[in-house]
Amino acid sequence: MIGAFRVLSRHWQVFARTWLHNLMFNVAEPLLYLSALGFGLGMLIGDIEGVSYLQFIAPGMVALSAMYSATFECTYGTFLRLHYQKTLQAILVGPVTVGEVIAGELLYGMFKSVLFGVVILIVVSILGLVPAVTAVFIPLFLVLPGAVFSILAVCYTAMIKNIDQLNYYITLAIMPFFLFGGLYFPVGNLPDWVQQLNWLNPLYHSIEVCRALALGQISDRLWVHVAVLSAMIIVLARLPLRLMKNRLLV
Amino acid sequence: MKQIVVAESLTKHYGDFPALKGVSFNISEGECFGLLGHNGAGKSTTLKMLYGLARVESGQLRLFDHPISLTPPAIKQILGVVPQEDNLDPDLPVLENLITYARLFGIGRAQAREKSLAMLRFMGLDAKEESLIDALSGGQKRRLVIARALLNSPRLLILDEPTTGLDPQGRHLVWQKLRGLKSEGVTMVLTTHYMEEAAQLCDRLVIMHEGLVLTEGTPSELVASHVLPFVIEIRLPLDAIPDDIGDRVNAFGGEALPVMEGLFLYTREGNRLWQQIGDWGLPQHSCFLRPASLEDVFLRLTGRGTEP
């Protein structure tokens, strides 16, 4: 497993050079959503479930940023390293296994996911949108959705041959996650079957937990979301390696 | 001599396509071993099997006395690999490329830096430390890949077309460095399209064709056993060469071989045949007499009229 951390340290070297661009890219988008919808739509809506609309959506922005960071790193980032730069092949020639190369990709996705989730958390806290101290558990929690989104992204990336095919994943998986995950409105307003489907939506679970921790609405129900995300990780954990093996080895 | 690589009847398919059809060879410690062949002959696949990007499908492979199905990290730790593609890390500048790669082998940061700087000097790239990979010339990239392969002081250096794309100066520089490493006792295996490269560097080599090893030996053994010692190249289009040349050369005790729309005449008696060809309607200024080389062996064994 030491090999996985050596692979991660390569990614870290790159990150140390590019973090500022990364920051702009990963932070700007959630903040644009927050300001446009929060100030625009928020004026019309007023309070929602007992909190202001901005407070309602702010924790969702944290979950959203975390999802995007893992997703983009392990789709576009991984695809480039695999097919264009051949960085993964170069690393694999070194004293590491395929499993360690893939673990390095996943750890990097998780790292960025937690990091950029936390950056948004700090921003919305400064804006006064995070009333509860239980929010300090959010960074720890973000490891779970970070792992789920990294695993899903690496699996999808391993299955495609053309970079344009990544658009399907973004449009058909990531967009519905985010539109129906309860970010802008409570999921209770959705038709019943959409609510059922949401159990498969990792972003839904992530938003529910982030919001509860940010607003201090702690209940046993949070463990259900944690359990579902953990189950997703356990079920999917071996899949990236199985799929990527055929891409890296002949 | 200790055997570093023992390969027996290796096979590999890509889908239905047989890339290797039973390849066997051995490499001894301290030796420079060459794989020659056309594109698609199976050279790169063979090397990938050694350095762990291809699994052994059937047959047996032993590296450093360990049986291999997929080369494990412990063995990759003592290999140096120059792949065919320059897969340098475009996200990192030159020096950081090397340091990061050395770190992958568990070399501490300070030592990795020291070693990387030494390798840049060794390959004549010390002025490029902070350059981006995209700003390097093709030759500089190739030298940097070779520098990267040496960071872990490998016991077996695997070079897949190390000088393809280099200009003559660059090629000679690389040869010089490889000869230096060889004199230090580093075992090497390389593939090449350049017969001159094989003749200059390799102690022993195999010629591969369509997934098979056709022949094996030292460069001089191969020349002696497969072709006659002298060649006259006739540099005329085939239709300008009299039809009966083949028969005349055979009667002379030589052999005519059509090569790339021209004709090569092989003989034991180069000078005598050279005096003769004028009478057969071949002007000497269109012909060229030279000793036979590895290139002739290659042309003879791997088919005529195709790209070497």
Side-chain angles (χ1 to χ4, degrees), chain A residues 14-231:
Chain A
V14 177
F15 179 76
R17 291 176 175 274
T18 55
W19 65 271
L20 194 60
H21 303 294
N22 268 283
L23 192 70
M24 299 312 270
F25 174 74
N26 286 286
V27 171
E29 187 161 319
L31 290 182
L32 285 172
Y33 277 121
L34 184 71
S35 38
L37 291 163
F39 295 116
L41 205 55
M43 291 303 165
L44 301 174
I45 292 173
D47 283 5
I48 201 167
E49 293 182 347
V51 295
S52 77
Y53 188 62
L54 268 174
Q55 283 183 335
F56 179 79
I57 62 172
M61 292 302 146
V62 174
L64 182 70
S65 170
M67 174 178 78
Y68 273 146
S69 304
T71 300
F72 280 98
E73 193 51 55
C74 293
T75 53
Y76 287 95
T78 300
F79 193 91
L80 291 180
R81 287 189 285 273
L82 176 67
H83 291 285
Y84 289 80
Q85 307 180 350
K86 308 276 181 191
T87 308
L88 299 188
Q89 287 86 340
I91 292 172
L92 185 57
V93 165
V96 292
T97 62
V98 185
E100 288 167 334
V101 173
I102 300 310
E105 294 295 301
L106 295 173
L107 287 171
Y108 190 37
M110 289 162 68
F111 161 73
K112 284 187 119 174
S113 185
V114 173
L115 178 75
F116 290 118
V118 168
V119 169
I120 297 294
L121 179 63
I122 291 169
V123 173
V124 292
S125 302
I126 291 168
L127 295 174
L129 299 174
V130 180
V133 295
T134 42
V136 298
F137 293 108
I138 290 177
L140 185 64
F141 163 73
L142 286 177
V143 172
L144 290 180
V148 174
F149 288 117
S150 299
I151 290 170
L152 289 175
V154 168
C155 288
Y156 184 77
T157 303
M159 290 191 289
I160 59 168
K161 285 187 171 164
N162 184 318
I163 195 163
D164 292 326
Q165 290 171 290
L166 287 177
N167 296 336
Y168 289 110
Y169 180 69
I170 304 299
T171 310
L172 298 177
I174 296 302
M175 286 300 280
F177 284 168
F178 136 77
L179 290 173
F180 299 102
L183 210 141
Y184 298 116
F185 47 81
V187 286
N189 298 357
L190 289 165
D192 207 38
W193 64 273
V194 180
Q195 292 193 41
Q196 297 302 322
L197 273 181
N198 251 339
W199 284 97
L200 295 173
N201 176 354
L203 187 64
Y204 159 69
H205 301 289
S206 180
I207 291 168
E208 288 296 310
V209 176
C210 286
R211 183 175 290 143
L213 291 173
L215 301 178
Q217 298 165 347
I218 307 302
S219 74
D220 287 347
R221 197 180 152 78
L222 296 187
W223 291 109
V224 177
H225 297 298
V226 167
V228 173
L229 289 170
S230 305

Side-chain angles (χ1 to χ4, degrees), chain B residues 164-182:
Chain B
T164 297
L166 296 192
D167 58 21
Q169 285 86 347
R171 183 168 304 155
H172 280 280
L173 176 75
V174 168
W175 287 350
Q176 204 51 36
K177 298 299 179 188
L178 293 180
R179 274 192 286 259
L181 291 166
K182 198 174 128 185

Side-chain angles (χ1 to χ4, degrees), chain A residues 3 6-7 9-10 13-14 17 85-87 89-97 100 245-246 248-250, chain B residues 12 14 51-55 70 73 76-77 81 85 87 89-91 93 96 100-101 103-106 109:
Chain A
R6 287 180 184 165
V7 176
S9 100
R10 176 268 167 201
Q13 286 304 321
V14 177
R17 291 176 175 274
Q85 307 180 350
K86 308 276 181 191
T87 308
Q89 287 86 340
I91 292 172
L92 185 57
V93 165
V96 292
T97 62
E100 288 167 334
K245 231 175 191 168
N246 298 324
L248 283 167
L249 296 177
V250 290
Chain B
K12 188 80 194 177
Y14 296 133
Y51 65 71
L53 284 194
R55 300 182 191 91
L70 177 65
K76 291 198 274 190
Q77 180 78 32
V81 179
E85 275 180 321
N87 54 11
D89 201 327
D91 295 331
E96 199 58 47
T100 304
Y101 207 73
R103 303 274 287 134
L104 202 56
F105 287 82
R109 182 141 190 108

Side-chain angles (χ1 to χ4, degrees), chain B residues 199-271:
Chain B
Q200 290 240 6
L201 295 174
C202 297
D203 301 310
R204 234 154 35 84
L205 51 92
V206 290
I207 295 180
M208 294 180 69
H209 189 56
E210 296 180 346
L212 287 169
V213 170
L214 298 181
T215 188
E216 178 186 332
T218 67
S220 53
E221 276 170 13
L222 292 178
V223 174
S225 61
H226 291 280
V227 288
L228 298 171
F230 295 96
V231 193
I232 295 175
E233 294 182 21
I234 303 172
R235 295 168 172 176
L236 287 170
L238 273 178
D239 55 11
I241 301 172
D243 291 338
D244 58 354
I245 288 295
D247 295 337
R248 284 176 187 264
V249 174
N250 287 340
F252 183 86
E255 198 184 355
L257 187 74
V259 174
M260 306 280 281
E261 321 241 306
L263 198 64
F264 284 17
L265 309 180
Y266 292 87
T267 177
R268 267 184 198 85
E269 300 167 88
N271 279 320

Side-chain angles (χ1 to χ4, degrees), chain B:
Chain B
M1 214 17 140
K2 197 175 155 198
Q3 301 286 306
I4 300 280
V5 181
V6 180
E8 269 173 50
S9 316
L10 298 176
T11 70
K12 188 80 194 177
H13 287 79
Y14 296 133
D16 288 335
F17 174 74
L20 300 182
K21 301 180 201 164
V23 168
S24 305
F25 59 90
N26 296 339
I27 304 174
S28 308
E29 190 161 28
E31 181 174 45
C32 179
F33 189 82
L35 304 171
L36 264 64
H38 296 290
N39 291 327
K43 309 182 300 290
S44 292
T45 302
T46 306
L47 291 193
K48 279 183 181 168
M49 244 179 224
L50 301 185
Y51 65 71
L53 284 194
R55 300 182 191 91
V56 176
E57 184 182 280
S58 79
Q60 290 186 351
L61 177 63
R62 293 182 77 82
L63 291 180
F64 298 95
D65 242 2
H66 294 278
I68 301 294
S69 61
L70 177 65
T71 307
I75 288 189
K76 291 198 274 190
Q77 180 78 32
I78 52 173
L79 300 181
V81 179
V82 176
Q84 201 168 5
E85 275 180 321
D86 293 327
N87 54 11
L88 293 159
D89 201 327
D91 295 331
L92 297 169
V94 167
L95 179 62
E96 199 58 47
N97 246 275
L98 296 190
I99 294 175
T100 304
Y101 207 73
R103 303 274 287 134
L104 202 56
F105 287 82
I107 300 172
R109 182 141 190 108
Q111 207 199 336
R113 188 182 161 79
E114 203 175 297
K115 193 101 204 207
S116 301
L117 286 168
M119 281 306 143
L120 287 182
R121 274 195 301 278
F122 180 66
M123 291 311 288
L125 290 166
D126 32 352
K128 297 286 173 186
E129 271 177 43
E130 292 306 320
S131 299
L132 291 171
I133 300 303
D134 285 342
L136 299 181
S137 71
Q140 289 167 337
K141 282 184 196 167
R142 209 70 192 131
R143 272 144 61 197
L144 186 58
V145 175
I146 296 173
R148 188 180 68 178
L150 298 173
L151 288 167
N152 59 326
S153 311
R155 288 182 56 197
L156 173 62
L157 190 55
I158 300 173
L159 306 123
D160 199 350
E161 298 187 13
T163 64
T164 297
L166 296 192
D167 58 21
Q169 285 86 347
R171 183 168 304 155
H172 280 280
L173 176 75
V174 168
W175 287 350
Q176 204 51 36
K177 298 299 179 188
L178 293 180
R179 274 192 286 259
L181 291 166
K182 198 174 128 185
S183 69
E184 290 168 22
V186 177
T187 310
M188 283 186 244
V189 49
L190 63 89
T191 68
T192 181
H193 290 301
Y194 303 113
M195 301 302 140
E196 195 197 345
E197 180 161 292
Q200 290 240 6
L201 295 174
C202 297
D203 301 310
R204 234 154 35 84
L205 51 92
V206 290
I207 295 180
M208 294 180 69
H209 189 56
E210 296 180 346
L212 287 169
V213 170
L214 298 181
T215 188
E216 178 186 332
T218 67
S220 53
E221 276 170 13
L222 292 178
V223 174
S225 61
H226 291 280
V227 288
L228 298 171
F230 295 96
V231 193
I232 295 175
E233 294 182 21
I234 303 172
R235 295 168 172 176
L236 287 170
L238 273 178
D239 55 11
I241 301 172
D243 291 338
D244 58 354
I245 288 295
D247 295 337
R248 284 176 187 264
V249 174
N250 287 340
F252 183 86
E255 198 184 355
L257 187 74
V259 174
M260 306 280 281
E261 321 241 306
L263 198 64
F264 284 17
L265 309 180
Y266 292 87
T267 177
R268 267 184 198 85
E269 300 167 88
N271 279 320
R272 206 161 71 79
L273 185 60
W274 182 250
Q275 299 308 323
Q276 195 65 246
I277 53 171
D279 297 343
W280 296 348
L282 295 170
Q284 283 188 347
H285 61 81
S286 303
C287 300
F288 178 63
L289 171 66
R290 60 172 175 81
S293 70
L294 212 45
E295 186 136 355
D296 299 293
V297 179
F298 187 80
L299 290 169
R300 179 178 190 116
L301 293 179
T302 65
R304 300 132 199 209
T306 39
E307 181 196 318

